[in-house]
Amino acid sequence: MDLSKAMSQDGASQFQEVIRQELELSVKKELEKILTTAPSHEFEHTKKDLDGFRKLFHRFLQEKGPSVDWGKIQRPPEDSIQPYEKIKARGLPDNVSSVLNKLVVVKLNGGLGTSMGCKGPKSLIGVRNENTFLDLTVQQIEHLNKTYDTDVPLVLMNSFNTDEDTKKILQKYNHCRVKIYTFNQSRYPRINKESLLPVAKNVSYSGENTEAWYPPGHGDIYASFYNSGLLDTFIGEGKEYIFVSNIDNLGATVDLYILNHLMNPPNGKPCEFVMEVTNKTRADVKGGTLTQYEGKLRLVEIAQVPKAHVDEFKSVSKFKIFNTNNLWISLAAVKRLQEQNAIDMEIIVNPKTLDGGLNVIQLETAVGAAIKSFENSLGINVPRSRFLPVKTTSDLLLVMSNLYSLNAGSLTMSEKREFPTVPLVKLGSSFTKVQDYLRRFESIPDMLELDHLTVSGDVTFGKNVSLKGTVIIIANHGDRIDIPPGAVLENKIVSGNLRILDH
């Protein structure tokens, strides 16, 4: 009985293997067809992209089921995640500029502002006194270069969605003391969820092909940076580390203590990869966490967790920290691993529905997932202030408010705020788009003493409003609430209808 069962299973797996090989062949043919439509000046570049996609697709067909065995997941050993205070206690070297001259700052700039109702690159949204994410980044690095008389370059990893608009704007920084370089993420074809074949019929990404392509997540940085030639250029200039972060994380500034720890390792063993992590709050339950897995530090994302263990993954007690995506990575190590084809990142399968209703999937990877491929990796548990992402207008309200002061492109929590935590802000759907949000605030309220703000429905704020404690404002459907200029709301719930008309 068991023998026949085993044979039938064997037959089934052979059958699956045949199907898989046929599918790979079909995809290969489709990609070759697409490549023939590339103009000669784009041929090499397109070929690299499509080859990269084929490798990723091959791995996608090989891997089945959850990519982690939950039973093997352990808490990381104590010394593999160091408290920031311990790193800071080592102080700074006598010559700060000598360590800074070994650094390259890389910002992930592939994202559009669509989730906030903006066209074009997210990095060009104004966040503070008319300054965009990109302005603040350039100001921070220029300040470093002037203060320490160094030459830290800024590198932007663009996607085909953001490259053109970003390059137009870069001219305005020509007179800044920052050298700016750009390179592009790969451009991969989306595949039909049913047939698993590419949706695109040719290389163009305009017209009917607009939605046929996608940038494959920030894990693509290793191959793209290597292929762009910039990696070798910087190694040739004596640079040793890149500091990588999301351009919308306003807390991700160059930290001299972490840089010093990398350049002068306490045990003499160079560390090839540092991931900044920070303590989870209830708002961060979905963030990827660092674990010990088969003797290596490993980043585990919620998408990889078997359904039965999702609640355990989200618990703040078992997994206390999450990845901020502020990463410090050795250039020499990236070169070595890239040339050995040894960077191993789990595939993230991201389902999407195109405007016409077609279901597709896009295969992606995440930059932090490569931590397990590097030697002597380390987590550093940093203060929450190094994680200040602006994903929504609720986040934008916080960074535009008097909770923060701006100095040389860096935001710091105001000294007038008596407790170090950031208030919880939830703005309703009437505030989702930046232009609607700006229209609803005549000026940004005073929020120094705010703990929690929830706003829902058609609500506007007059000038010089002050919000303290817990404030909940709910305008029901068809109602409107105008908070009058100068109003002070402390531990208040406002609901119903409040119209203030000029007479």
Side-chain angles (χ1 to χ4, degrees), residues 445-447 449-450 461-471 473 483-494:
D446 161 25
M447 290 165 41
E449 294 174 45
L450 180 69
F461 291 79
K463 271 205 167 86
N464 305 327
V465 170
S466 188
L467 305 171
K468 302 178 182 193
T470 296
V471 178
I473 305 170
I483 303 296
V488 177
L489 299 180
E490 184 165 6
N491 297 324
K492 289 281 185 284
I493 297 176
V494 183

Side-chain angles (χ1 to χ4, degrees), residues 50 53 93 100 109 134 139 243 273 279 288 298 305 318 328 388 391 402 415 426 450 463:
L50 296 181
F53 174 75
L100 271 174
N109 185 44
L134 188 54
Q139 285 167 27
F243 171 48
F273 196 111
N279 293 343
R298 177 152 173 176
V305 177
K318 181 163 183 180
W328 304 74
L388 190 58
K391 302 290 181 196
N402 59 348
E415 288 172 4
K426 294 179 184 169
L450 180 69
K463 271 205 167 86

Side-chain angles (χ1 to χ4, degrees), residues 100-149:
L100 271 174
N101 277 329
K102 307 277 187 192
L103 183 70
V104 175
V105 175
V106 180
K107 292 286 182 185
L108 304 172
N109 185 44
L112 293 165
T114 34
S115 62
M116 293 168 77
C118 295
K119 282 191 166 63
K122 187 174 180 183
S123 56
L124 307 184
I125 295 175
V127 278
R128 182 91 188 203
N129 316 350
E130 309 293 309
N131 287 306
T132 65
F133 290 104
L134 188 54
D135 292 336
L136 295 177
T137 302
V138 172
Q139 285 167 27
Q140 284 164 24
I141 300 176
E142 182 174 46
H143 177 67
L144 268 182
N145 285 338
K146 283 181 171 171
T147 307
Y148 296 102
D149 191 23

Side-chain angles (χ1 to χ4, degrees), residues 19-212:
I19 297 274
R20 195 170 70 216
Q21 285 175 355
E22 285 188 357
L23 190 55
E24 282 212 52
L25 199 62
S26 304
V27 165
K28 184 173 178 242
K29 282 180 182 163
E30 288 294 314
L31 295 177
E32 281 166 356
K33 272 190 221 163
I34 293 172
L35 187 57
T36 61
T37 67
S40 55
H41 66 281
E42 278 179 24
F43 185 85
E44 274 310 308
H45 195 77
T46 307
K47 188 174 185 308
K48 271 184 183 162
D49 282 354
L50 296 181
D51 284 348
F53 174 75
R54 225 176 80 207
K55 279 185 196 158
L56 192 61
F57 185 73
H58 173 77
R59 276 181 47 213
F60 163 68
L61 292 181
Q62 301 285 347
E63 295 169 11
K64 281 286 167 272
S67 52
V68 290
D69 174 350
W70 192 255
K72 290 184 181 174
I73 285 183
Q74 297 167 316
R75 274 197 189 157
E78 286 297 306
D79 60 346
S80 67
I81 298 183
Q82 300 265 346
Y84 177 74
E85 290 64 42
K86 191 176 166 186
I87 305 288
K88 193 172 179 179
R90 296 187 62 214
L92 292 176
D94 298 336
N95 187 350
V96 171
S97 59
S98 67
V99 292
L100 271 174
N101 277 329
K102 307 277 187 192
L103 183 70
V104 175
V105 175
V106 180
K107 292 286 182 185
L108 304 172
N109 185 44
L112 293 165
T114 34
S115 62
M116 293 168 77
C118 295
K119 282 191 166 63
K122 187 174 180 183
S123 56
L124 307 184
I125 295 175
V127 278
R128 182 91 188 203
N129 316 350
E130 309 293 309
N131 287 306
T132 65
F133 290 104
L134 188 54
D135 292 336
L136 295 177
T137 302
V138 172
Q139 285 167 27
Q140 284 164 24
I141 300 176
E142 182 174 46
H143 177 67
L144 268 182
N145 285 338
K146 283 181 171 171
T147 307
Y148 296 102
D149 191 23
T150 52
D151 187 18
V152 176
L154 168 64
V155 179
L156 301 173
M157 176 164 94
N158 298 339
S159 68
F160 64 91
N161 289 320
T162 62
D163 190 50
E164 204 177 317
D165 290 338
T166 302
K167 280 183 175 157
K168 278 182 198 158
I169 222 89
L170 287 181
Q171 293 160 4
K172 78 179 206 187
Y173 307 117
N174 283 348
H175 302 295
C176 293
R177 190 170 160 177
V178 183
K179 282 192 190 130
I180 304 179
Y181 302 82
T182 64
F183 70 97
N184 263 4
Q185 264 178 284
S186 309
R187 179 164 74 99
Y188 283 2
R190 285 177 167 152
I191 51 180
N192 184 312
K193 194 178 173 194
E194 302 305 319
S195 70
L196 297 183
L197 294 176
V199 178
K201 293 290 170 255
N202 58 55
V203 292
S204 90
Y205 46 97
S206 53
E208 60 179 30
N209 249 1
T210 316
E211 293 190 301

